[in-house]
């Protein structure tokens, strides 16, 4: 039993209260502590990923209680990769928040940020369905605080809406877990996988209900149609670094869908029998459409980016809905890509919006360093819309290749291609309104109105890092895909997972 | 007894959903509370309903026992939903004091005002 597995949960969990209680009056100290904690988290996540790369499923028994009774944390390739993604994203976002002084506009930013990291890491690592609920609540309650960080009328109203939406989602989650427990008598994921496959067919009615309820819950988190409506309002009114961090929150939903509907309710389970894929696929197609139309119709920059996130979640879940190892590997690649693409654009939008009068997509005098921002926006837009040479293109290509054998392959391809085209048009329009048409103003007119404040290098580091991740993902696409294919195959090797978790302790029971 | 518990869950859920759909802060908070009561009772009943049975195994006598796990789950769920309700009340209060209205939806006029402001600048 390797104790490092629980480190991504323990580390932020211990750091957050210290920041909240000891460093509450010293923002500098809090920044150093938060940064050091996040760096340590990245180091631990790298270590765990290297450890998981051997393809084994590492299990951590909390309090050394045997598996179906105690809570387990499970480290396999997927959870290690997701924790690594979280920690790297956190580093990028934290840098930006510190460089732009966002963390100083309200109280307790760093403590909430660490609690959020704890919740997200825990959700990725846990091997117990009820524990997943608890970590969801941890990450949500931290996100409520981050969402209304800095305050303001519109932000508080948007925050209230977000809280109510997620509370309803949590209640639904509990109903689903109750139904799951009532029909199987366990909530350990490995044990569930075992029980679900051995349950007599005529006793699976409640099980099917819980499978669909769980899908609904995860769909709320992943912003899937018809429960995507909370996302644009939330992301566009959240503080920009927080919106960038929220890029991982939708992925928590996607992760839970991937985890649950391969291992517990996999395609081989007769009780649900393709039910999930059949519902997920059309929902994902409509989500792509909603995202693309939203990007085209948005009149402000932040909602436009939010709709781009909705669209990318559609593409991601479309690949997931095929439930084949190839498609899941493609989905995971796209997941990595879309997280960094969304984060890069939100961080960049923060720099742009703070230098213009609001985030309306209207022609205004050019901002200082107009060309530099335009170049960054261009790169980010290429990434998020899926044009070569960045990883969005490769990701969409892989997704299309992954869903090739699907029965509705024509619809899926059309959705991805038309969705991309519409999104490109939307981003091209936004880019030309903000950067290009602005140059029509007389230079003197713009200079006279305000003092010139150039942006320091520090503020660009966050955006630059996120974009560099996109570049790295496309340059090292081969090794990444090799790892992800291994990950996907590991997901479909259910007996291996069940044996690893229940293994030695499982035999004691018999 | 099944009938009473089942209908109690149903009525609580229906009432909760109705109140949430009112989209005003106070009814929504009450609705969330009702929903969490409903889910707590539901969770409690997932271990099957048993009367006068302790959640403890007795190795000296063959007496019936009730499933302890749902009871532990319910305790966790109660604590979490209590905390969440407190957070919801605080945020709702903040939003009400700030915006002077307790409606839970992002009104479009806000968008337009923002937009016009941007164009005017």
């Amino acid at each position: 039993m390797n104790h490092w597995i629980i480190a991504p949960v323990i580390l932020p969990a211990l750091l957050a209260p210290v920041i909240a209680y000891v460093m509450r009056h010293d923002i500098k100290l809090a920044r150093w502590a938060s940064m050091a904690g996040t760096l340590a988290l990245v180091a631990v996540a790298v270590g765990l990923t290297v450890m998981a790369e051997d393809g084994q499923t590492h299990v951590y028994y909390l309090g050394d209680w045997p598996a179906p009774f105690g809570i387990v944390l499970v480290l396999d390739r997927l959870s290690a990769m997701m924790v690594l993604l979280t920690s790297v994203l956190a580093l990028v976002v934290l840098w930006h928040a510190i460089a732009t002084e966002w963390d100083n506009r309200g109280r307790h930013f760093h403590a909430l940020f660490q609690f959020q990291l704890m919740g997200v890491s825990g959700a990725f690592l846990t091997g117990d369905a009820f524990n997943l609920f608890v970590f969801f609540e941890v990450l949500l309650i931290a996100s409520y605080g981050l969402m209304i960080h800095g305050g303001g009328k519109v932000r508080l109203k948007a925050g209230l809406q977000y809280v109510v939406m997620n509370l309803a989602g949590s209640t639904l989650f509990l109903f689903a877990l109750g139904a799951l427990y009532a029909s199987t008598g366990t909530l350990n994921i490995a044990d569930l996988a075992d029980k679900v496959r051995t349950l007599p067919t005529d006793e699976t009615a409640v099980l099917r209900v819980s499978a669909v309820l769980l899908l609904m819950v995860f769909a709320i988190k992943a912003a899937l149609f018809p429960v995507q409506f909370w996302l644009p309002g939330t992301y566009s009114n959240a503080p920009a670094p927080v919106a960038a961090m929220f890029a991982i929150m939708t992925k928590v939903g996607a992760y839970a869908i991937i985890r649950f509907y391969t291992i517990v309710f996999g395609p081989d389970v007769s009780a649900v029998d393709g039910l999930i894929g059949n519902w997920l696929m059309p929902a994902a197609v409509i989500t792509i459409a909603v995202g693309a139309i939203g990007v085209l119709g948005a009149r402000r920059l932040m909602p436009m980016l939010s709709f781009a996130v909705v669209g990318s979640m559609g593409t991601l879940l479309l690949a997931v809905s095929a439930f084949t190892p190839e498609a899941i590997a493609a989905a995971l690649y796209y997941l990595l890509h879309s997280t960094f693409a969304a984060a890069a654009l939100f961080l960049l939008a923060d720099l742009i919006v703070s230098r213009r009068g609001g985030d309306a997509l209207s022609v205004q005098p050019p901002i200082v360093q107009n060309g530099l921002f335009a170049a960054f926006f261009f790169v980010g837009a290429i990434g998020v819309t899926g044009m070569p040479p960045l990883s969005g293109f490769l990701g969409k290509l892989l997704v299309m290749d992954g869903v090739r054998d699907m029965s509705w392959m024509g619809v899926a391809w059309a959705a991805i291609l038309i969705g991309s085209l519409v999104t490109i048009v939307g981003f091209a329009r936004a880019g030309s309104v903000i950067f290009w048409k602005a140059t029509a103003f007389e230079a003197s007119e713009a200079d006279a109105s305000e003092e010139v404040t150039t942006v320091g290098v520090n503020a660009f580091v966050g955006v630059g890092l996120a974009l560099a991740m996109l570049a790295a993902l496309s340059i090292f696409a081969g090794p990444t895909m090799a790892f992800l294919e291994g990950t996907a195959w590991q997901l479909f090797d259910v007996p291996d997972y069940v044996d690893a978790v229940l293994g030695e302790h499982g035999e004691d029971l018999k | 007894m099944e009938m009473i518990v089942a209908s109690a869950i149903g009525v609580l859920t229906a009432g909760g959903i109705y109140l949430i759909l009112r989209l005003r802060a106070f009814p929504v908070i009450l609705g969330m509370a009702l929903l969490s009561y409903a889910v707590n009772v539901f969770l409690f009943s997932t271990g099957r309903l048993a009367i006068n049975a302790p959640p403890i195994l007795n190795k000296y006598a063959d007496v019936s026992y009730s499933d302890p796990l749902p009871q532990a789950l319910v305790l966790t769920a109660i604590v979490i939903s209590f905390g969440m309700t407190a957070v919801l009340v605080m945020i709702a209060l903040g939003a009400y004091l700030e915006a002077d209205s307790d409606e839970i939806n992002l009104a479009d006029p806000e968008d337009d005002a923002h937009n016009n402001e941007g164009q005017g600048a």
Side-chain angles (χ1 to χ4, degrees), chain A residues 282-331:
Chain A
V285 168
I286 301 174
T287 310
I288 295 177
V290 169
I293 295 168
V295 167
L296 198 62
R299 290 176 298 164
R300 295 194 290 133
L301 182 59
M302 297 295 270
M304 188 187 85
L305 298 182
S306 310
F307 276 109
V309 171
V310 173
S312 75
M313 287 315 291
T315 312
L316 169 55
L317 290 166
L318 183 60
V320 171
S321 71
F323 287 112
T324 59
E326 295 79 14
I328 295 275

Side-chain angles (χ1 to χ4, degrees), chain A residues 69 130 133-134 137-138 140-141 144-145 148 151-154 156-161 163-164 167-168 171 174-179 181-183 187 233-234 237 299-300 357-365, chain B residues 9 13 20 25 28 32 35-36 38-40 42-43 46-48 67 69-70 73-74 76-77 80 83-85 87-88 91-92 94-95 98-99 101-106 110-112 114-115 117-119 121:
Chain A
F69 305 115
F130 196 80
F133 164 76
V134 174
E137 295 304 302
V138 172
L140 282 175
I141 204 157
Y144 301 155
I148 56 171
K153 189 169 136 190
V154 184
L156 271 169
K157 291 204 81 167
L160 183 60
Q161 192 191 36
V163 174
V164 169
L167 277 183
T171 314
L174 278 176
F175 272 116
L177 289 178
Y181 184 79
S183 53
L187 285 172
T234 304
N237 290 308
R299 290 176 298 164
R300 295 194 290 133
D359 66 343
L361 291 176
S362 56
V363 183
Q364 290 175 26
Chain B
I9 295 170
T13 311
I20 287 175
V28 165
M32 293 308 315
L35 258 190
S36 63
V39 81
N40 289 343
F42 176 72
L43 273 184
T46 57
R48 307 294 181 268
D67 190 346
L69 192 77
L73 298 185
V74 167
T76 316
I80 289 179
M84 288 295 178
T85 309
V87 171
L88 179 60
I91 293 181
E98 192 90 19
S101 117
D102 65 343
E103 274 182 66
I104 304 183
N105 57 349
L106 286 172
E110 209 87 59
D111 271 2
D112 289 336
H114 204 90
N115 227 359
E117 202 179 61
Q119 277 159 356

Side-chain angles (χ1 to χ4, degrees), chain A residues 406-464:
Chain A
M406 211 184 220
S407 51
W408 288 76
M409 168 267 203
V411 179
W413 278 39
I416 294 176
L417 291 174
I418 298 172
S420 301
L421 180 67
V422 175
T423 313
I424 289 170
V425 172
F427 269 86
R429 191 198 54 154
S432 37
V433 167
I434 294 179
F435 302 109
W436 196 3
K437 288 186 181 164
T439 55
F441 282 80
E442 290 294 318
S444 57
E445 185 188 336
D447 283 342
S449 59
E450 54 195 309
E451 71 273 33
V452 180
T453 44
T454 51
V455 184
V457 182
N458 263 354
F460 279 111
V461 170
V463 183

